[in-house]
Amino acid sequence: MAKQLIDTYVAELPPTVQKAVHQSTAATTEKRYQLLGDDYADSDGLRKLAGAIRQHTLEYLDTYLAQAEESLTARGAKVHYAVTAEDACQAVTGILQAAGITKVVKSKSMVTEEIHLNDYLANQGIESIESDLGEYIVQIDGDHPSHIVRPIIHKTRGDIARSFEREGLGDYNDDPETITRRARKFMRGKYLEAGAGITGANFVTADTGRLVLVTNEGNSRFCLAPAKVHIALVGIEKVVPSDADLSLLLNLLGRSATGQQLTVYTEFINGPRRADRPSGPEQMHVIFVDNRRTEVLASDCKEILRCIRCGACLNVCPVYRQASGHAYRSVYPGPVGAVLSPLLAGDKFKELADLPKASSLCGACNEVCPVDIPIPDLLLRLRNRAHQEHVPSPGTPPMAGFALLGSHPLIWRSAMTFGAAKDYLPLDRLPVPYLGAWLKTRTLPKWRGGKFRSWMKSRHGRNGGGGK
Amino acid sequence: MTARETIFAAIKSALAPLPEREPRPAVAHGVADAQWLADETDNVALFVQRATAVGTMCFRSSSDCLAWLFEQQPARVFIPDELRDVTAKFEGIVEVVRSYSRDQVDEIDTAFTPAAGAIAESGTIILTDESTPDRLAALAPWTHIAVVRKDTIHRSVADALAAMPDDPNIIWVTGPSKTADVEGILIQGVHGPGVQGCLLI
């Protein structure tokens, strides 16, 4: 049976990884549900309000982005713009070279994953170390994150212990506490010798020019404590109108992402050091990155830009739980990735056009989304786009036969009558494409075709007519 | 065209066809307050309860704090000058240093810094560059104790956001540094403090 590429990944996923992903996503989903229920009578109303704030911001993005730039500039930060991934990487390199910096530390940022910043910097001879524990392990393994919030959800402690041994961080030891202590010690040296700290941003407020960063480990704070230069890479859609909007968004972000009321460290940065505040970096650069976001804004899937990267849709998704993140073959996995990744792929849309089909459209992703993104609707729009662009769709049975049946009542009625024959036919040996493979793991129920029509008729009879 | 012009032109052309735009929704102050907050009357008691729940140790007096600290047998304790009065009893009992610099990162294992405030609803400590001029001091030592004045405790997250001070760096600390990256197992003290404390004055 011809398969979609995503199916191939699922088939090759080790059962241990699948089990780990399933358990951990289910546990986080449960924590999220509990906390929202304890704290809010109407958490659904809050999600919808947060969605409206994000949608409003997107629909006035030119206004709010310009305002954020003005606020940041007024507080001494330098604002840059990058149209493409390449432009963004060049901007970072330019800032570092001008300051004579060859070593940087990074905190976790999805947009830097998106533009492959670490590879770019390595090619320029600049050492860039990921400081988030999970991201660091991904980096030394030459791997890719498989979850937005939990990048190494697919790795076991044994995998990590072997990687640390290989990197010279001590003998094999798979105790999670020892692993964490070794990373702490190693990273201390890196923080102190780095000339710059590179971060993303969870939000940027337009009225006060605050970059908001949330972490549990404290790594973004450490990137910005000893370094001389702070460079933040920020997707243009991260803007929110004001501090007041943060009260809603921050309260929903932590609860949705990890089941925490607030993430341990919530940092608000609006400028470099000042004469009266002589701590922190001397320079602050904010690079607003487009990288096809304006194309998404112009599409019929613009709602996906509301996303605040909490990962709740991954955790709840029955497909993600079975497939894990690498099956999505892109930076953003899960339901959000099934929408965002093909859109950000530009002319490589066709290569990822199978992702919007990796969903049963059950709607759970929409129900948990803290900004109420109608993900199932967006998946359908992308399926339609793939169809319009004639993307081949292996593994999808031909539906023309059903279309014929469904649109001709006479053919439908006779099919219902004679369909009973299927109970006696060796269906798995019929020359219908995909039928044999489909039946390998499924048993069809006994034929009950036509029962509804006769039930309807007898019902009308009992009620004294009304039908024809 | 500059990159800025290209991006703004693309945004404008993306938004131009919209028949109408989403209006700005009213976000009432406190709309996302936890529902149980209304039943709480004592900010200080609530802060202690919530901070304890997220793993922050709370001390109601400097004697309690000193008794605990003494048991930990700290190597060196950083206490800035402005906290001299609060920690007067500490002198001679633990080794106190008055300045913090980056070459002492491995030697100073405990640090006290003044906090700019706190949030009762979430058990959060607020630090700023003004209150804690050395960011490393509140981050690098294994034990960090923030000294919080009771009259600076905000009731809710929304209240704290409505009263943000003018500072290039404000950080909310809600518990000790932690990770669950390795198989979902919770480990405290990743990059920041493994022990986060709070001394209320």
Side-chain angles (χ1 to χ4, degrees):
Chain A
M1 179 174 171
K3 280 182 169 173
Q4 300 276 356
L5 201 43
I6 190 167
D7 295 322
T8 321
Y9 276 81
V10 177
E12 287 167 5
L13 195 68
T16 47
V17 174
Q18 197 195 60
K19 193 174 160 210
V21 170
H22 194 286
Q23 279 177 347
S24 139
T25 51
T28 310
T29 300
E30 180 61 22
K31 261 174 85 180
R32 170 199 164 277
Y33 180 77
Q34 284 286 345
L35 186 61
L36 282 169
D38 289 349
D39 289 353
Y40 297 122
D42 180 22
S43 64
D44 221 34
L46 294 179
R47 293 188 316 114
K48 296 208 156 83
L49 180 59
I53 292 171
R54 292 290 298 134
Q55 189 68 24
H56 163 76
T57 317
L58 293 173
E59 295 186 7
Y60 289 88
L61 188 58
D62 45 350
T63 312
Y64 288 121
L65 188 59
Q67 201 190 347
E69 176 191 340
E70 196 182 319
S71 304
L72 282 160
T73 309
R75 288 164 177 83
K78 175 108 175 64
V79 175
H80 312 248
Y81 286 89
V83 178
T84 65
E86 173 90 14
D87 294 346
C89 291
Q90 276 175 4
V92 175
T93 313
I95 295 163
L96 294 174
Q97 283 170 348
I101 292 167
T102 55
K103 288 182 177 181
V104 301
V105 280
K106 258 194 85 249
S107 79
K108 183 168 164 44
S109 143
M110 293 309 292
V111 71
T112 60
E113 295 284 341
E114 206 182 298
I115 64 173
H116 304 292
L117 180 65
N118 283 337
D119 293 343
Y120 189 94
L121 292 179
N123 286 332
Q124 305 293 318
I126 297 166
E127 179 192 89
S128 168
I129 305 271
E130 289 287 346
S131 58
D132 174 89
L133 177 60
E135 291 285 342
Y136 173 66
I137 291 160
V138 163
Q139 187 180 29
I140 59 178
D141 283 353
D143 199 352
H144 300 284
S146 67
H147 189 288
I148 294 175
V149 177
R150 301 261 322 274
I152 52 166
I153 196 168
H154 62 291
K155 287 185 194 286
T156 65
R157 61 178 84 185
D159 298 337
I160 299 162
R162 278 186 289 280
S163 304
F164 271 38
E165 191 181 19
R166 188 191 62 225
E167 296 296 313
L169 295 177
D171 297 335
Y172 181 92
N173 188 324
D174 65 5
D175 168 39
E177 180 141 10
T178 308
I179 290 171
T180 311
R181 294 293 163 265
R182 285 176 176 175
R184 178 184 174 98
K185 189 158 182 277
F186 170 79
M187 211 57 78
R188 283 290 156 102
K190 293 294 174 189
Y191 288 130
L192 293 174
E193 68 183 30
I198 298 181
T199 71
N202 292 85
F203 305 102
V204 180
T205 55
D207 63 345
T208 50
R210 280 185 223 288
L211 256 63
V212 186
L213 287 172
V214 305
T215 72
N216 272 319
E217 298 182 6
N219 54 316
S220 77
R221 172 74 158 172
F222 231 129
C223 288
L224 302 182
K228 293 256 180 281
V229 175
H230 172 202
I231 304 174
L233 289 121
V234 186
I236 53 170
E237 85 286 15
K238 291 283 173 191
V239 187
V240 294
S242 72
D243 284 352
D245 302 305
L246 290 178
S247 70
L248 179 58
L249 292 165
L250 283 173
N251 269 312
L252 289 177
L253 176 60
R255 287 177 172 95
S256 301
T258 48
Q260 289 169 282
Q261 190 180 359
L262 283 178
T263 315
V264 175
Y265 296 99
T266 307
E267 193 165 11
F268 305 86
I269 307 150
N270 70 353
R273 67 166 63 177
R274 316 191 301 222
D276 62 335
R277 300 280 186 279
S279 189
E282 291 160 15
Q283 296 176 27
M284 177 181 180
H285 297 267
V286 178
I287 304 173
F288 283 115
V289 182
D290 180 348
N291 199 26
R292 300 191 188 281
R293 282 163 173 73
T294 48
E295 286 177 25
V296 181
L297 191 65
S299 75
D300 59 356
C301 293
K302 62 174 69 63
E303 293 89 340
I304 200 67
L305 294 175
R306 293 181 197 167
C307 177
I308 57 172
R309 311 283 190 264
C310 72
C313 64
L314 279 64
N315 295 333
V316 81
C317 177
V319 177
Y320 179 86
R321 286 182 179 182
Q322 296 294 322
S324 186
H326 291 165
Y328 294 81
R329 315 183 308 281
S330 39
V331 173
Y332 300 101
V336 59
V339 177
L340 193 55
S341 299
L343 288 168
L344 294 180
D347 54 6
K348 292 189 177 148
F349 171 78
K350 291 185 181 184
E351 291 173 24
L352 296 175
D354 61 317
L355 298 183
K357 290 189 205 158
S359 166
S360 61
L361 302 176
C362 71
C365 47
N366 174 226
E367 282 177 21
V368 300
C369 178
V371 286
D372 194 31
I373 302 173
I375 295 178
D377 294 349
L378 304 185
L379 291 170
L380 286 174
R381 285 174 209 166
L382 287 173
R383 287 182 189 185
N384 186 44
R385 177 176 159 192
H387 183 70
Q388 302 294 329
E389 295 185 13
H390 305 291
V391 181
S393 178
T396 306
M399 299 303 282
F402 183 78
L404 181 76
L405 283 174
S407 53
H408 295 82
L410 195 64
I411 306 181
W412 179 266
R413 274 206 294 276
S414 49
M416 286 304 111
T417 309
F418 295 108
K422 82 132 189 71
D423 290 351
Y424 307 98
L425 283 173
L427 287 183
D428 52 336
R429 274 177 268 147
L430 289 183
V432 178
Y434 309 118
L435 192 60
W438 197 83
L439 283 166
K440 241 183 226 167
T441 51
R442 295 172 179 88
T443 312
L444 284 173
K446 270 187 89 70
W447 186 260
R448 286 165 52 92
K451 292 282 197 302
F452 179 74
R453 284 170 167 274
S454 58
W455 171 78
M456 244 342 235
K457 266 185 200 150
S458 68
R459 188 172 164 274
H460 281 304
R462 273 207 309 277
N463 295 344
K468 280 180 195 168
Chain B
M1 281 216 290
T2 63
R4 186 187 189 282
E5 286 163 355
T6 307
I7 290 172
F8 275 87
I11 294 172
K12 285 199 167 79
S13 87
L15 297 176
L18 293 181
E20 54 191 44
R21 299 195 192 182
E22 178 90 19
R24 184 167 181 183
V27 180
H29 181 79
V31 68
D33 286 358
Q35 57 181 344
W36 39 259
L37 192 62
D39 305 331
E40 304 288 339
T41 49
D42 182 348
N43 267 4
V44 178
L46 179 62
F47 170 75
V48 171
Q49 180 211 327
R50 302 298 297 170
T52 309
V54 294
T56 296
M57 300 186 64
C58 293
F59 301 102
R60 293 280 203 151
S61 73
S62 58
S63 330
D64 287 355
C65 186
L66 179 60
W68 175 83
L69 189 62
F70 182 70
E71 279 176 28
Q72 307 304 307
Q73 300 182 309
R76 279 192 183 160
V77 184
F78 165 67
I79 302 178
D81 272 334
E82 60 264 42
L83 291 177
R84 203 181 273 269
D85 294 345
V86 180
T87 57
K89 296 174 188 151
F90 291 35
E91 304 285 345
I93 298 179
V94 291
E95 189 187 337
V96 174
V97 289
R98 294 285 172 203
S99 68
Y100 191 93
S101 70
R102 65 159 72 189
D103 42 334
Q104 291 170 290
V105 162
D106 294 327
E107 292 154 35
I108 296 173
D109 58 359
T110 304
F112 285 72
T113 68
I119 307 172
E121 183 189 19
S122 53
T124 301
I125 296 159
I126 303 174
L127 306 176
T128 61
D129 276 352
E130 186 186 23
S131 72
T132 300
D134 200 315
R135 296 182 190 182
L136 272 182
L139 191 65
W142 181 255
T143 302
H144 170 240
I145 313 251
V147 179
V148 173
R149 278 192 10 234
K150 287 177 196 162
D151 60 357
T152 63
I153 301 177
H154 298 283
R155 184 166 176 71
S156 65
V157 169
D159 285 357
L161 279 163
M164 292 285 265
D166 170 34
D167 202 290
N169 194 288
I170 301 164
I171 188 159
W172 293 358
V173 181
T174 312
S177 157
K178 65 184 183 186
T179 185
D181 272 349
V182 182
E183 293 189 3
I185 296 159
L186 184 72
I187 305 288
Q188 296 190 170
V190 192
H191 304 284
V195 176
Q196 180 64 53
C198 170
L199 169 58
L200 288 159
I201 57 168

